[in-house]
């Protein structure tokens, strides 16, 4: 669909200019410099621009110019008309470089909407507005005003910041990294990251997809598309606005809500996207995927001429969850035969400071042949007798022919620069630090499992949806935004066991219900105005007889009135006291970008302090629910430590899947929390003790 | 001619609303209705003459022709109070009687609104019960039922009134939903047993407490940046955005019809507010937001207004505006009438002043 966008028969530049320093001239020059045949400048003053025949308007351009891409570089207020003319001229693709749209304010936003409507009317697809343009190294298209043209390669890069595009281009120019396609997304009025992910998935010239994003436009679609794309090509994304101040800047820049970082983390993980922590990491990882074959496991060999570097690398590997390989006997024997006696023959292999290029190369080949090795990190320090450049020359062929990734860190500065240049000239990266080499190796190894993963779809459990439907409809019609203990039936209708309880309005009723349920009991205040019952004295535990209940009832009412005089009290809930279980929490918050974000963690009073929680975007599969439970740091406490009996983890997983279905079935549920969910010993299930919903009543 | 004095146990009880609603209902029933608030305590300047804000509102909402001076013959100024304390004779009783007789002319019924609380004006012998006995009318007491202790206030008020015959009855106003049952089942029978007629129990109502954005703009002397078409929307609550965006979303979702107060530099909070479709964004400190945020607000149809004052001062002003709004909109008058008709025994009120209903 977008093929002609990147490989047009003819390109018109609307707003082409002959004036030095104008964007309209830079774009034209870039197009001309890269061998596009039919280039048509459009400018109200016709005549010639840079030797090309210019036309007054796009409708004046003759059909034989076969223009199927228009690059627009005129002031914002004229852009809608220009797109309309493109539509009438049958041009299906436009790149709007011009700024002054939504990023500039209300009037700009109106123009942007107008542009989009015109595009939709004619079926025109638009990149931008407010962008740097697009590049395709295969077709030789450079429809940007960037100072560099990209080298040919297999990385497709898209960026929500035009300036970051120029940084990437310049970095790639120096490090000899090539791109297949290059897209500056701009304001994403029409085409966005999802469109390009889909396009790059089927683009033969692209092997690696990377992106700088400030947000995604359609989260649920993004997850679906990325889940498919990442199975055939690695997708590396750096997403800015991680912190509160960062997200403020994103909002200010784009007029969108950055969305919670936890949601992005979960969505990226669930869809197999590799998240880079920085711009340079995104570029490093892209280059690694572009340059190397994928390792088949996580066993890494380190070859070094400096013991210190080897140890640092071993530490970094271990922190990243990479294994240091155990060599086969034949490898060790071969190394013993060729390396000096003082050398270290086990991983990390230390060939010693005076190792010649031949010794290095032989050690590398020996380790490479070992079946227990999936990838190699090669380190070279510039000691007095080290032949850095010769080593680089010697290893180039080995690296290029290898079916395992060999990542190099020629460490140092001046003395390694020639060796570094040798590697780069041959398309082999030299990582400026061993840590960056390890991060790239980790990504390569991780992708191996992403690529091969089986996607299990969420199972549908049979539930009593109509009961919940009635409760929610009632809340909506009564404008009840907050539902608390009185809505425990929602959980029951979705098959989650809830504690035996009743809501009462008076003390005599409380005593009566307590006698009926059986002591000990717990009393909780029922009020949609109170979200933290403990803080206002709204929970009384372990009441053993009627006197306890009476004392607790009276003092609780007095406390609640004192601490929250404005709170509306709907009654008191009397619960059977449950003990002997572990408290966990299941929550959900509807994220503006991705929808229902499930949360799981250890529960109780300390949950807000510990922040030991895991997140997943619902709906979740059984595997995903398992991952949620096992990925919190305090998981061993649930699984049972020091001979303690394990908790019923399967019942938590079951509850997560049911909640996932509940929040997917009812978009009216904006927020949700079971706190605590009491998990009993293995085989004895779990019980919801308290619940709170926020409902969208419109 | 019939008449009644509407008094209240405390300020902001909804006295003016009852006067306005009652006036409208009686007029719709074919009566010629007069209104006065003898002592003006919320003084404002209207076209060069001093008058009471409540009285002015009712005069205009009910379309009354009587001159402002007659509707409110006495203004509670500092000098009036000083004179009362010194003992200077001001002929207040005469002014009251004269205005009352003028207003009464050609009317079937006159509704007299008291000043602030029931005992207000005692220092110059014009507390509500004193006015009632001077002009020979009975009292309707409006009590805001904010807690069970409102019962204490009513019984105290009865002691201030002294003559139980002067009290026609009470209306329990703004009763929170969770207290309704207790009020109707326990409080009403209790008061009736004490010989106090309860004319009605009116539940708390959001429409009446709410304030239109246009009044917020006026009250905060704000500049409207976008959203002029939505200024007549009503705001019930305000929230302050000073947390991170994730918490802000949760916070904003919990309350309906909210105005969010935040700094012009807090684009994250602004977007959270727009995302959760709050009613209005109030930006403090005279800091303009980014163009992209304004554009998003405009697309969502949410007014963004800019104030010079800091957040703290803005909160204080909002506190004054919400819940204390004067009734200036037809929507609110209609709502009052609706509430009175469905919750108050209007026939008995009319009967208490021998008025046909």
């Amino acid at each position: 669909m977008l093929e002609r966008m990147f490989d047009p028969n003819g390109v018109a530049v609307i707003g082409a200019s002959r004036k030095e320093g104008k964007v309209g001239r830079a774009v034209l020059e870039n197009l001309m410099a890269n061998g596009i045949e039919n280039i048509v400048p459009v400018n109200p003053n016709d005549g010639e621009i840079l030797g090309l025949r210019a036309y007054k308007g796009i409708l004046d351009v003759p059909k034989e110019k076969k223009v199927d891409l228009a690059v627009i570089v005129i002031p914002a207020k004229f852009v809608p008309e220009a797109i309309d003319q493109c539509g009438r001229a049958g041009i299906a693709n436009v790149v709007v470089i011009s700024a002054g749209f939504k990023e500039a304010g209300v009037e700009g936003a109106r123009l942007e909407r107008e542009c989009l409507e015109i595009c939709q009317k004619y079926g025109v697809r638009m990149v931008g507005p407010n962008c740097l343009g697009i590049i395709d190294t295969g077709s030789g298209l450079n429809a940007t005003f960037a100072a560099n043209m990209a080298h040919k390669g297999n990385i497709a890069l898209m960026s929500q910041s035009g300036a970051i595009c120029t940084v990437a281009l310049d970095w790639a120019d120096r490090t000899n990294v090539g791109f297949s396609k290059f897209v500056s997304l701009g304001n994403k009025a029409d085409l966005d990251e999802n469109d390009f992910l889909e396009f790059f998935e089927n683009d033969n010239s692209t092997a690696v997809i990377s992106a700088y994003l400030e947000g995604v436009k359609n989260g649920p679609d993004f997850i679906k598309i990325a889940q498919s794309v990442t199975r055939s090509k690695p997708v590396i994304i750096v997403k800015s606005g991680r912190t509160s101040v960062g997200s403020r800047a994103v909002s200010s820049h784009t007029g969108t809500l950055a969305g919670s970082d936890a949601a992005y983390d979960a969505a990226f993980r669930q869809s197999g996207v590799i998240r880079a922590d920085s711009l340079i990491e995104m570029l490093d990882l892209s280059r690694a995927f572009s340059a190397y074959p994928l390792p088949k496991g996580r066993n890494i060999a380190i070859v070094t001429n400096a013991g210190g570097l080897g140890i640092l690398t071993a530490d970094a590997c271990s922190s990243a969850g990479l294994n240091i390989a155990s060599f086969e006997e034949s490898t060790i024997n071969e190394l013993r035969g060729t390396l000096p006696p003082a050398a270290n023959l086990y991983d990390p292999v230390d060939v010693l400071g005076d190792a010649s290029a031949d010794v290095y190369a032989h050690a590398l080949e020996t380790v490479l042949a070992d079946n227990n090795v999936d990838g190699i990190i090669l380190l070279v320090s510039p000691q007095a007798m080290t032949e850095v450049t010769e080593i680089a020359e010697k290893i180039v062929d080995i690296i290029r022919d290898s079916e395992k990734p060999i990542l190099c860190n020629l460490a140092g500065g001046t003395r390694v620069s020639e060796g570094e240049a040798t590697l780069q000239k041959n398309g082999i990266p030299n990582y400026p630090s061993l840590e960056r080499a390890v991060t790239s190796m980790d990504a390569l190894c991780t992708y191996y499992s992403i690529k091969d993963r089986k996607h299990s779809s969420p199972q549908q459990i049979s539930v009593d949806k109509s009961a919940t439907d009635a409760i929610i409809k009632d809340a909506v019609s009564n404008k009840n935004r907050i539902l608390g203990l009185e809505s425990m039936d929602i959980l029951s209708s979705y098959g989650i066991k809830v504690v035996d309880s009743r809501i009462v309005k008076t003390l005599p009723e409380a005593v009566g219900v307590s006698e009926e349920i059986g002591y000990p009991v717990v009393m909780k205040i029922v009020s949609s105005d109170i979200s933290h019952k403990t803080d206002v004295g709204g929970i009384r535990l372990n009441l053993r007889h009627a006197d306890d209940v009476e004392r607790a009832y009276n003092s609780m009412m007095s406390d609640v009135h004192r601490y929250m005089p404005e709170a509306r009290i709907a009654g008191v809930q009397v619960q059977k006291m449950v003990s002997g279980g572990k408290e966990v929490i299941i929550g959900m918050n509807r994220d503006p970008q991705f929808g229902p974000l499930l949360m799981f963690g250890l529960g109780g009073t300390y949950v807000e302090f510990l922040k030991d929680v895991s997140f997943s975007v619902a709906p979740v599969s059984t595997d995903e629910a398992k991952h949620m439970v096992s990925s919190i740091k305090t998981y061993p406490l649930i699984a049972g430590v020091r001979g303690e009996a394990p908790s019923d983890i399967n019942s938590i997983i079951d509850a997560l899947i049911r909640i996932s279905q509940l929040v997917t079935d009812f978009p009216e549920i904006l927020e949700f929390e079971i706190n605590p969910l009491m998990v009993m010993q293995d085989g004895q299930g779990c019980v919801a003790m308290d619940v709170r919903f926020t409902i969208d009543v419109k | 001619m019939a008449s009644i004095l509407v008094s209240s146990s405390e300020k902001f009880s909804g006295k003016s609303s009852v006067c306005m609603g009652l006036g409208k209902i009686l007029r719709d029933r074919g009566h010629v209705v007069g209104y006065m608030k003898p002592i003006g305590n919320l003084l404002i300047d209207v076209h060069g003459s001093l008058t009471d804000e409540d009285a002015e509102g009712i005069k205009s909402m009910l379309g009354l022709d009587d001159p402002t001076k007659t509707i409110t013959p006495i203004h509670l100024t500092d000098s009036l109070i000083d004179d009362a304390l010194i003992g200077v004779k001001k002929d207040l009783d005469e002014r009251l009687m004269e205005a009352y007789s003028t207003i009464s002319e050609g009317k079937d019924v006159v509704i007299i609104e008291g000043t602030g609380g029931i005992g207000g004006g005692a220092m110059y012998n014009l507390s509500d019960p004193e006015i009632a006995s001077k002009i020979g009318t009975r009292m309707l007491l409006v009590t805001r039922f904010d807690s069970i202790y409102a019962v204490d206030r009513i019984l105290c008020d009865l002691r201030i009134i002294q003559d139980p015959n002067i009290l026609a009855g009470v209306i329990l106003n703004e009763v929170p939903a969770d207290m309704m049952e207790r009020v109707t089942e326990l409080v009403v029978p209790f008061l009736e047993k004490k010989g106090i007629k309860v004319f009605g129990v009116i539940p708390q109502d959001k429409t009446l407490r709410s304030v239109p954005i246009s009044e917020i703009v006026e009250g905060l002397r704000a500049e409207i940046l976008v959203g002029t078409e939505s200024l007549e929307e009503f705001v019930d609550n305000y929230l302050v955005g000073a947390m991170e965006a994730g918490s802000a979303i949760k916070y904003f979702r919990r309350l309906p019809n909210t105005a969010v107060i935040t700094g012009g530099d807090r684009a994250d909070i602004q977007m959270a507010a727009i995302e959760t479709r709050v009613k209005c964004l109030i930006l403090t400190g005279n800091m303009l937001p980014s163009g992209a945020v304004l554009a998003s607000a405009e697309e969502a149809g949410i007014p963004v207004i800019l104030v010079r004052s800091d957040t703290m001062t803005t909160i204080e002003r909002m506190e004054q505006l919400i819940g204390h709004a004067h009734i200036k909109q037809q929507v609110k008058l209609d709502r009052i009438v609706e509430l009175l008709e469905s919750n108050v025994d209007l026939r008995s009120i009319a009967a208490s002043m021998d008025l046909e209903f």
Side-chain angles (χ1 to χ4, degrees):
Chain A
M1 169 79 205
L2 295 174
E3 283 77 10
R4 284 281 160 252
M5 175 84 84
F6 291 95
D7 186 13
N9 293 307
V11 184
V13 180
I14 301 177
S17 172
R18 54 176 72 78
K19 280 195 203 119
E20 287 274 4
K22 285 267 185 190
V23 176
R25 169 153 174 155
V27 172
L28 193 61
E29 282 178 334
N30 276 341
L31 282 168
M32 291 168 70
N34 292 286
I36 291 287
E37 255 177 60
N38 286 325
I39 302 171
V40 185
V42 176
N43 188 298
N45 314 306
D46 50 2
E48 271 195 1
I49 298 177
L50 304 182
L52 295 170
R53 159 89 203 269
Y55 296 84
K56 271 192 184 280
I58 193 75
L59 292 166
D60 304 323
V61 179
K63 281 272 172 271
E64 56 268 28
K65 292 285 184 188
K66 292 187 194 156
V67 172
D68 39 22
L69 168 67
V71 185
I72 301 179
V73 275
I74 53 179
K77 61 179 173 189
F78 302 119
V79 174
E81 172 60 20
I83 298 176
D84 189 79
Q85 289 181 1
C86 289
R88 275 151 59 201
I91 298 169
N93 304 295
V94 297
V95 173
V96 182
I97 290 179
S98 318
F101 291 89
K102 189 174 175 187
E103 82 285 0
V106 175
E107 178 54 19
R110 195 192 57 72
L111 284 171
E112 191 168 309
R113 283 196 299 275
E114 202 183 333
C115 290
L116 183 61
E117 280 159 19
I118 296 168
C119 284
Q120 284 162 347
K121 177 175 156 198
Y122 292 105
V124 170
R125 300 313 305 261
M126 167 172 64
V127 177
N130 183 30
C131 72
L132 182 81
I134 60 169
I135 288 175
D136 182 333
T137 54
S139 68
L141 175 81
N142 182 358
T144 71
F145 59 98
N148 313 57
M149 171 63 174
H151 302 288
K152 258 192 190 175
N154 58 9
I155 303 170
L157 186 142
M158 54 182 157
S159 166
Q160 210 174 328
S161 153
I164 281 181
C165 288
T166 65
V167 173
L169 277 174
D170 202 40
W171 170 87
D173 190 50
R174 190 163 99 179
T175 49
N176 193 24
V177 172
F179 293 96
S180 54
K181 307 259 184 322
F182 214 90
V183 180
S184 164
L185 294 165
N187 293 2
K188 307 194 287 196
D190 177 29
L191 292 166
D192 59 35
E193 52 283 336
N194 288 351
D195 299 297
F196 288 108
L197 271 179
E198 275 182 321
F199 176 68
F200 295 149
E201 180 178 21
N202 301 313
D203 176 37
N204 291 332
S205 62
T206 296
V208 184
I209 301 165
S210 55
Y212 164 81
L213 296 179
E214 288 169 8
V216 302
K217 224 163 107 182
N218 183 330
D221 279 2
F222 173 87
I223 293 177
K224 259 183 247 142
I225 295 167
Q227 261 169 357
S228 155
V229 179
T230 52
R231 249 171 287 204
S232 61
K233 294 175 186 180
V235 177
I236 303 121
I237 297 178
V238 60
K239 154 77 179 63
S240 64
R242 292 194 92 144
T243 61
S244 169
V245 277
S247 76
R248 190 179 308 169
V250 167
S251 288
S252 177
H253 190 193
T254 61
T256 58
L257 198 57
S260 90
D261 203 58
Y264 276 96
D265 255 350
F268 286 178
R269 183 179 49 72
Q270 287 172 261
S271 55
V273 167
I274 296 169
R275 182 168 189 173
D277 282 331
S278 65
L279 182 59
I280 196 68
E281 189 175 311
M282 176 198 82
L283 295 168
D284 267 354
L285 301 190
S286 307
R287 177 169 59 162
F289 282 108
S290 164
Y292 294 113
L294 293 179
K296 298 196 169 47
R298 297 183 74 82
N299 300 315
I300 305 305
I302 299 164
V303 178
T304 177
N305 67 348
L309 286 180
I311 299 164
L312 284 172
T313 309
D315 279 342
C317 283
S318 179
S319 302
L322 294 168
N323 310 320
I324 299 304
S326 296
F327 295 143
E328 292 169 323
E329 205 184 334
S330 57
T331 305
I332 296 165
N333 288 337
E334 178 65 25
L335 291 173
R336 185 175 288 125
T338 47
L339 293 178
N344 187 29
L345 310 178
Y346 308 110
D347 201 2
V349 178
D350 185 354
V351 297
L352 301 182
D354 58 356
S356 66
D358 283 335
V359 170
Y360 240 112
H362 185 70
L364 181 60
E365 279 175 319
T366 308
V367 169
L368 192 57
D370 191 303
N371 288 314
N372 294 343
V373 171
D374 300 312
I376 298 174
I377 294 177
L378 185 94
L379 306 157
V380 180
S381 65
Q383 299 176 43
M385 47 292 188
T386 312
E387 310 160 326
V388 181
T389 311
E390 290 76 2
I391 293 171
E393 279 164 1
K394 261 269 158 24
I395 61 177
V396 160
D397 287 338
I398 304 173
I399 294 173
R400 219 169 11 205
D401 297 342
S402 165
E403 285 174 4
K404 297 174 185 174
I406 303 169
L407 276 59
C408 301
N409 167 219
L410 309 188
T414 316
R415 289 207 54 225
V416 301
S417 58
E418 207 177 312
E420 182 176 67
T422 305
L423 293 181
Q424 278 176 3
K425 196 168 64 199
N426 288 283
I428 296 163
N430 179 43
Y431 291 90
S433 73
L434 62 92
E435 290 80 9
R436 280 169 62 178
V438 170
T439 305
S440 289
M441 184 64 90
D442 175 34
L444 292 172
C445 296
T446 304
Y447 181 65
Y448 191 76
S449 58
I450 292 173
K451 200 174 154 64
D452 279 4
R453 77 193 187 286
K454 301 227 172 2
H455 179 67
S456 52
S457 25
Q459 60 182 114
Q460 279 292 316
I461 300 169
S462 137
V463 295
D464 182 4
K465 205 173 154 182
S466 60
T468 295
D469 194 49
I471 298 174
I472 291 187
K473 280 217 172 84
D474 184 61
V476 171
S477 68
N478 290 315
K479 304 261 176 210
N480 274 345
R481 291 179 171 232
I482 308 285
L483 299 180
L485 291 161
E486 71 280 10
S487 59
M488 295 279 253
D489 288 349
I490 293 182
L491 298 182
S492 310
S493 73
Y494 267 73
I496 293 167
K497 197 175 158 201
V498 300
V499 65
D500 192 5
S501 72
R502 289 252 301 277
I503 293 174
V504 298
K505 297 233 177 213
T506 64
L507 174 59
E509 273 185 272
V511 174
V513 168
S514 303
E515 307 268 328
E516 210 175 285
I517 290 178
Y519 296 105
V521 296
V522 175
M523 276 197 315
K524 295 178 177 177
I525 199 81
V526 182
S527 167
S528 56
D529 296 326
I530 299 171
S531 50
H532 299 283
K533 299 184 194 77
T534 316
D535 296 356
V536 296
I539 296 186
R540 301 293 148 121
L541 303 169
N542 204 17
L543 310 175
R544 305 189 159 273
H545 38 69
D547 283 356
D548 275 0
V549 171
E550 183 176 344
R551 246 191 342 267
Y553 185 94
N554 289 330
S555 64
M556 181 160 87
M557 283 303 179
S558 172
D559 276 354
V560 170
H561 284 308
R562 184 170 1 150
Y563 294 119
M564 275 196 88
E566 301 282 312
R568 289 159 295 178
I569 312 297
V572 168
Q573 191 203 42
V574 182
Q575 289 188 347
K576 174 92 191 151
M577 173 106 179
V578 176
S579 51
K582 292 243 161 58
E583 293 188 356
V584 298
I585 171 172
I586 294 178
M588 186 282 294
N589 182 15
R590 210 162 280 275
D591 184 79
Q593 257 73 34
F594 293 101
L597 183 66
L598 285 184
M599 186 264 277
F600 170 76
L602 206 62
T605 320
Y606 300 124
V607 61
E608 292 193 12
F609 170 72
L610 287 172
K611 294 198 166 67
D612 180 21
V613 288
S614 61
F615 295 95
S616 288
V617 178
V620 296
S621 61
T622 308
D623 286 343
E624 187 58 33
K626 274 183 192 157
H627 176 89
M628 284 188 79
V629 177
S630 62
S631 63
I632 62 167
K633 288 190 208 81
T634 42
Y635 174 69
L637 293 183
I638 314 171
V641 280
R642 303 219 167 170
E644 209 180 30
S647 303
D648 195 337
I649 290 167
N650 284 333
S651 73
I652 307 177
I653 291 165
D654 181 62
L656 275 169
I657 293 168
R658 287 171 188 275
I659 293 303
S660 163
Q661 190 169 325
L662 169 68
V663 298
T664 313
D665 286 347
F666 292 95
E668 298 92 335
I669 302 174
L670 295 176
E671 280 157 39
F672 161 80
E673 190 176 277
I674 303 179
N675 185 16
L677 177 73
M678 195 71 92
V679 190
M680 312 313 286
Q681 279 189 13
D682 199 12
Q684 291 172 23
C686 56
V687 189
M689 308 297 288
D690 205 338
V691 71
R692 192 175 165 86
F693 292 87
T694 305
I695 306 291
D696 184 4
V697 300
K698 295 287 172 321
Chain B
M1 190 214 57
S3 68
I4 194 142
L5 186 143
V6 180
S7 181
S8 64
S9 303
E10 64 286 302
K11 284 183 181 177
F12 306 116
S13 60
K15 184 164 44 99
S16 297
S17 305
V18 170
C19 288
M20 200 183 284
L22 201 55
K24 167 114 179 24
I25 291 167
L26 294 176
R27 201 183 55 192
D28 291 351
R29 297 244 162 193
H31 296 297
V32 181
V33 177
Y35 161 84
M36 67 187 296
K37 181 172 175 183
I39 301 168
N41 58 336
L42 307 165
L43 301 179
I44 52 163
D45 183 343
V46 177
H47 310 308
S49 60
L50 209 56
T51 183
D52 180 89
E53 191 171 3
D54 283 336
E56 185 57 30
I58 293 180
K59 176 172 149 58
S60 87
M61 289 303 286
L62 292 183
L64 302 173
D65 300 331
D66 297 301
T68 306
K69 267 242 157 265
T70 327
I71 289 179
T72 303
I74 300 163
H75 296 147
L76 189 53
T77 59
D78 284 354
S79 61
L80 182 109
I81 292 171
D82 289 353
D83 286 347
L85 293 173
I86 296 163
V88 180
K89 213 169 160 328
K90 299 287 281 187
D91 302 327
L92 298 179
D93 288 9
E94 288 76 3
R95 270 149 75 184
L96 167 71
M97 296 313 291
E98 202 181 302
Y100 180 63
S101 79
T102 315
I103 290 273
S104 305
E105 275 169 37
K107 306 287 185 342
D108 299 328
V109 56
V110 174
I111 298 164
I112 303 129
E113 182 174 352
T115 323
I118 187 167
M123 63 175 132
Y124 37 85
N125 304 320
L126 287 177
S127 65
D128 289 353
E130 286 165 300
I131 293 178
S133 71
K134 278 173 189 163
I135 61 180
T137 189
R138 297 179 76 191
M139 289 171 65
L140 166 62
L141 188 68
V142 181
T143 297
R144 181 155 59 92
F145 208 91
D146 51 358
S147 80
I148 199 72
Y149 302 108
V151 178
D152 278 348
R153 288 204 301 270
I154 294 169
L155 294 175
C156 255
D157 292 344
L158 190 60
R159 278 159 215 181
I160 293 172
I161 295 169
Q162 291 176 349
D163 178 2
N165 289 323
I166 287 190
L167 182 65
V170 299
I171 291 177
L172 307 180
N173 195 19
E174 290 193 61
V175 181
D178 63 311
M179 291 174 84
M180 211 32 144
E181 216 179 292
R182 211 166 166 204
V183 168
T184 51
E185 283 176 15
L186 295 176
V187 175
V188 174
F190 171 82
L191 290 174
E192 304 244 312
K193 240 187 289 167
K194 295 262 173 193
I196 300 169
K197 169 79 184 160
V198 180
F199 286 125
V201 178
I202 303 177
Q204 225 170 32
D205 188 80
K206 284 208 169 123
T207 315
L208 294 186
R209 292 183 62 81
S210 68
V211 48
I213 298 165
S214 57
E215 272 179 40
I216 296 177
V217 170
E218 199 184 305
L220 300 179
R221 298 180 208 298
E223 180 190 342
I224 305 159
L225 300 179
V226 296
T228 40
E229 67 287 349
S230 309
L231 295 181
E232 292 317 308
E233 296 271 322
F234 286 91
V235 167
D236 298 344
N237 305 289
Y238 69 87
L239 292 171
V240 180
M243 62 295 282
E244 51 96 24
S247 315
I249 293 180
K250 292 188 183 176
Y251 183 53
F252 298 161
R253 274 171 181 166
R254 287 182 192 150
L255 281 176
N257 306 326
T258 306
V260 168
I261 303 172
T262 194
D265 56 344
R266 293 297 307 268
D268 49 344
I269 299 289
Q270 294 156 16
M271 283 314 304
I274 294 166
E275 178 73 30
T276 49
R277 295 288 183 269
V278 302
K279 283 280 171 184
C280 172
L281 249 177
I282 302 169
L283 305 184
T284 57
N286 207 28
M287 280 184 285
L288 277 169
S290 85
V293 169
L294 271 186
S296 293
E298 210 253 342
E299 280 169 0
I302 296 170
V304 180
I305 66 175
L306 183 67
V307 297
R308 299 191 75 85
S309 56
D310 60 29
T311 302
M312 205 52 225
T313 316
T314 310
I315 293 169
E316 283 165 10
R317 288 198 193 150
M318 283 299 282
E319 194 64 32
Q320 293 293 316
L321 286 167
I322 291 185
H324 300 161
H326 297 280
I327 312 293
K328 291 179 188 162
Q329 300 81 19
Q330 190 61 37
V331 195
K332 287 199 181 181
L333 178 54
D334 292 347
R335 182 66 188 147
I336 292 167
V337 168
E338 212 172 280
L339 285 170
L340 287 174
E341 281 179 337
S342 49
N343 298 293
V344 176
D345 182 1
L346 295 164
R347 193 170 295 280
S348 293
I349 293 180
S352 77
M353 44 179 162
D354 295 326
L355 188 69
E356 204 181 302
F357 192 75

